[in-house]
Amino acid sequence: FTVTTNGTLLDGPVREFLDRESIRVVLSLDGRPEVHDRFRKTCQGGGSYEHVIDNMRRLIEDREPDTYYARGTYTRHNLDFSQDVLHMVDMGFSSVSLEPVVSDPSCPWALTEEDVPTCRAEYERLCEIYLERHRQGRPFTFFHFAVALDHGPCLPKRLRGCGAGTEYLAVAPDGRFFPCHQFVGQEQFCLGDVIRGLTGHEVRADMARIHALNKSECSRCWARYHCGGGCHANAYQFSGDMKKPYTIGCQLQRHRLECALYVQAILA
């Protein structure tokens, strides 16, 4: 079991429960205080960084790196996101992931085609930071650089990188099931609830039929067996169709993979 949390309610009893039940934790943290606070507001409208950072750090004090990770989102406002990765690492988070925002192109924070070269360069900068920290004996895990060269997922997993609705599901606070946390609240994707059990069999069947070889863009992409067709939620949010991937996300994913393969080759 894994819980995704913004950290506001990670008090002592909750942390003890998560530890006792061996529940993995995804911590929603975007990086530097000013970056995090831009979008992650409290109910009163202020930033939440100062409130959550101590809760999060207390949680990870005695945890192994593979039982948690800090997961953030970068936008057009922080295209220097390698600095946010460094901030999280220096705050004690040894397992980190940062994802590109997916939103309406008209939003001021949305990534555009013009931003892609800057993002590519930033991933390359992160490569060098990542390698330098390893040389210094201060390694950290960046989710997208963790590519195994000598082993890896089985073929079905490579064809269907996203396991939403087929390999796992999300339980919303009200007890309803959804394919993953990004689909929570979208009624057409409800899979049932904790009382009735699984009822959304057609939704699950539809998701099971989607894979890299029946997505036209993915079937021609060199990275198809590494990403498996990408994130269903991102595709649906971007185009309204889970078979049409988020195009900017694809460009960034390919370059992230190039960086990951470079990093792993150097470390090997």
Side-chain angles (χ1 to χ4, degrees), residues 82-96:
S82 67
Q83 298 307 303
D84 293 296
V85 173
L86 266 182
H87 175 81
M88 288 191 278
V89 170
D90 288 342
M91 291 296 286
F93 301 93
S94 58
S95 297
V96 175

Side-chain angles (χ1 to χ4, degrees), residues 21-268:
E21 300 299 331
S22 300
I23 295 175
R24 294 170 182 249
V25 183
V26 180
L27 301 162
S28 293
L29 184 67
D30 286 342
R32 293 163 288 179
E34 63 273 19
V35 171
H36 181 88
D37 286 345
R38 183 185 291 272
F39 294 106
R40 302 195 186 267
K41 306 288 188 183
T42 65
C43 294
Q44 290 76 33
S48 63
Y49 181 92
E50 290 299 330
H51 179 72
V52 304
I53 191 65
D54 287 340
N55 288 346
M56 292 182 177
R57 293 178 73 182
R58 289 191 186 100
L59 176 88
I60 69 172
E61 280 178 353
D62 299 316
R63 279 185 167 249
E64 294 298 320
D66 63 348
T67 66
Y68 77 89
Y69 71 94
R71 182 198 184 282
T73 301
Y74 70 86
T75 73
R76 202 176 196 199
H77 295 307
N78 62 311
L79 296 180
D80 59 343
F81 54 83
S82 67
Q83 298 307 303
D84 293 296
V85 173
L86 266 182
H87 175 81
M88 288 191 278
V89 170
D90 288 342
M91 291 296 286
F93 301 93
S94 58
S95 297
V96 175
S97 172
L98 270 184
E99 310 290 338
V101 67
V102 183
S103 59
D104 188 302
S106 65
C107 295
W109 56 80
L111 298 177
T112 68
E113 289 288 344
E114 295 175 355
D115 299 320
V116 171
T118 303
C119 293
R120 287 169 59 94
E122 194 65 11
Y123 279 119
E124 292 169 13
R125 188 172 295 111
L126 186 55
C127 272
E128 299 308 322
I129 293 171
Y130 189 85
L131 289 170
E132 182 60 26
R133 287 296 178 101
H134 273 73
R135 294 187 192 103
Q136 295 172 352
R138 297 188 293 159
F140 65 92
T141 298
F142 181 63
F143 181 80
H144 293 293
F145 289 173
V147 175
L149 298 182
D150 55 355
H151 61 83
C154 60
L155 183 58
K157 179 67 175 175
R158 288 191 178 277
L159 284 171
R160 190 182 297 113
C162 178
T166 56
E167 296 179 17
Y168 55 81
L169 52 76
V171 185
D174 62 7
R176 288 183 298 165
F177 299 148
F178 292 91
C180 81
H181 70 283
Q182 293 197 72
F183 283 110
V184 167
Q186 299 186 54
E187 297 299 328
Q188 67 272 35
F189 292 105
C190 183
L191 299 176
D193 57 56
V194 294
I195 303 300
R196 297 175 298 146
L198 286 168
T199 57
H201 302 299
E202 290 185 8
V203 175
R204 295 177 67 210
D206 286 344
M207 289 188 155
R209 284 190 286 266
I210 300 173
H211 56 75
L213 298 185
N214 62 19
K215 294 182 176 183
S216 57
E217 293 92 339
C218 300
S219 64
R220 302 186 299 269
C221 176
W222 68 264
R224 60 188 177 275
Y225 295 125
H226 289 283
C227 85
C231 170
H232 293 336
N234 285 356
Y236 186 79
Q237 183 172 338
F238 180 70
S239 66
D241 184 346
M242 288 186 286
K243 285 190 175 182
K244 294 182 179 178
Y246 174 43
T247 52
I248 291 177
C250 289
Q251 294 179 64
L252 298 178
Q253 168 77 324
R254 283 191 289 269
H255 195 58
R256 273 198 313 242
L257 277 167
E258 291 169 343
C259 291
L261 294 170
Y262 164 77
V263 162
Q264 295 302 326
I266 294 294
L267 291 177

